[in-house]
Amino acid sequence: RYIPVNAPVKALCLHVAHDCNLRCKYCFASTGDFGQGRKIMPPEIAKKAIDFVIARSGVRHNIEVDFFGGEPLMAWDTVTQTVDYARSLEEKYNKKFRFTITTNGVGLNDENIEYINREMANCVLSLDGRPEVNDKNRVTPAGGGSYDIILPKFQKLLQSRGKDRDYYVRGTFTRDNLDFAEDVLHIADQGFDSVSVEPVVSEPGAPYSLREEDLPQIFAEYERLAEQ
């Protein structure tokens, strides 16, 4: 494949964890391991990715790095070592790193909340909406719901997050909740004012898959949400 030699690389999405502590039924990543087996990216590999983006970014000053998975909190040592390594090179190479982390929230605690709010310019928090909606598809390995586990942790993160630190709560709507405006409003009622609820991407035929005959109801729901 032809790759333009002079095209600067300005962003990385690092899959630091091919593993997850949830088993979401609609997961595009085969419940976290992308069909490749459960594994964690070693810090040395992530640091080489930082070296790569610095070398290929040309004169570009700002570089974006997103920690993704699976669940990146399961690779927390890799995340922190990578951030610290990148920060140590900023002045030398005249770069500024902007970090994002996407998390399901299960592994949040006081220590990593403080670190995320200090170092991550953006964080994406996964929650589908109302408890019964979230817990139908976003389940633990034992099959239980995740809403009661993660909501208080997301609220705690937000309470200590600075106004200059971006975030959004990201949900997925499926055929199980075609009235997804109610889920957007529910998330907002929990104290979150930055929300993105998006349609599921799935193989046709799954019980939660959206179908062509659902489109009129989906369009009407977007209109209802816009009015709200």
Side-chain angles (χ1 to χ4, degrees):
R1 186 171 76 223
Y2 173 70
I3 300 177
V5 174
N6 295 320
V9 179
K10 62 181 182 179
L12 295 177
C13 181
L14 291 182
H15 285 222
V16 292
H18 278 198
D19 199 357
C20 191
N21 42 20
L22 291 182
R23 297 292 184 268
C24 301
K25 296 175 183 177
Y26 52 61
C27 181
F28 67 89
S30 300
T31 67
D33 74 352
F34 291 84
Q36 301 295 314
R38 301 194 180 277
K39 61 190 77 173
I40 300 297
M41 179 184 287
E44 294 73 22
I45 299 299
K47 291 176 182 178
K48 287 181 179 180
I50 296 298
D51 292 337
F52 168 83
V53 74
I54 289 175
R56 291 293 301 273
S57 60
V59 298
R60 186 176 180 88
H61 177 64
N62 296 306
I63 298 173
E64 307 267 347
V65 176
D66 183 11
F67 294 106
F68 201 72
E71 172 50 49
L73 293 186
M74 297 182 73
W76 187 242
D77 286 346
T78 297
V79 170
T80 58
Q81 289 189 44
T82 305
V83 171
D84 294 347
Y85 179 69
R87 295 280 186 234
S88 74
L89 300 176
E90 286 181 320
E91 185 175 352
K92 179 180 179 180
Y93 292 103
N94 189 30
K95 305 297 180 183
K96 178 63 177 176
F97 283 89
R98 184 179 188 271
F99 294 102
T100 298
I101 193 165
T102 299
T103 179
N104 63 32
V106 172
L108 286 173
N109 55 42
D110 290 347
E111 180 182 358
N112 56 34
I113 285 175
E114 191 278 331
Y115 190 91
I116 288 169
N117 283 342
R118 184 178 76 247
E119 295 290 352
M120 305 292 167
N122 190 19
C123 61
V124 182
L125 312 173
S126 298
L127 178 72
D128 280 356
R130 293 163 290 178
E132 64 274 17
V133 168
N134 182 87
D135 289 353
K136 184 160 188 176
N137 287 310
R138 302 189 62 81
V139 296
T140 68
S146 59
Y147 181 95
D148 289 339
I149 298 171
I150 62 178
L151 180 66
K153 297 182 179 186
F154 285 165
Q155 291 172 325
K156 188 169 188 177
L157 183 149
L158 183 60
Q159 288 167 3
S160 58
R161 191 158 179 82
K163 297 299 183 183
D164 62 331
R165 309 270 89 179
D166 293 334
Y167 82 94
Y168 66 93
V169 176
R170 189 210 179 278
T172 298
F173 73 83
T174 72
R175 203 162 200 259
D176 296 327
N177 61 314
L178 294 176
D179 59 343
F180 57 87
E182 295 299 328
D183 295 292
V184 176
L185 297 173
H186 174 84
I187 292 170
D189 286 343
Q190 310 315 305
F192 304 103
D193 59 10
S194 186
V195 182
S196 175
V197 174
E198 304 169 21
V200 68
V201 177
S202 61
E203 293 293 331
Y208 50 76
S209 295
L210 300 174
R211 304 170 193 176
E212 188 170 359
E213 59 262 34
D214 299 326
L215 290 177
Q217 184 175 350
I218 291 171
F219 296 155
E221 195 68 4
Y222 277 121
E223 291 292 337
R224 186 167 78 90
L225 182 58
E227 292 171 359
Q228 289 290 332

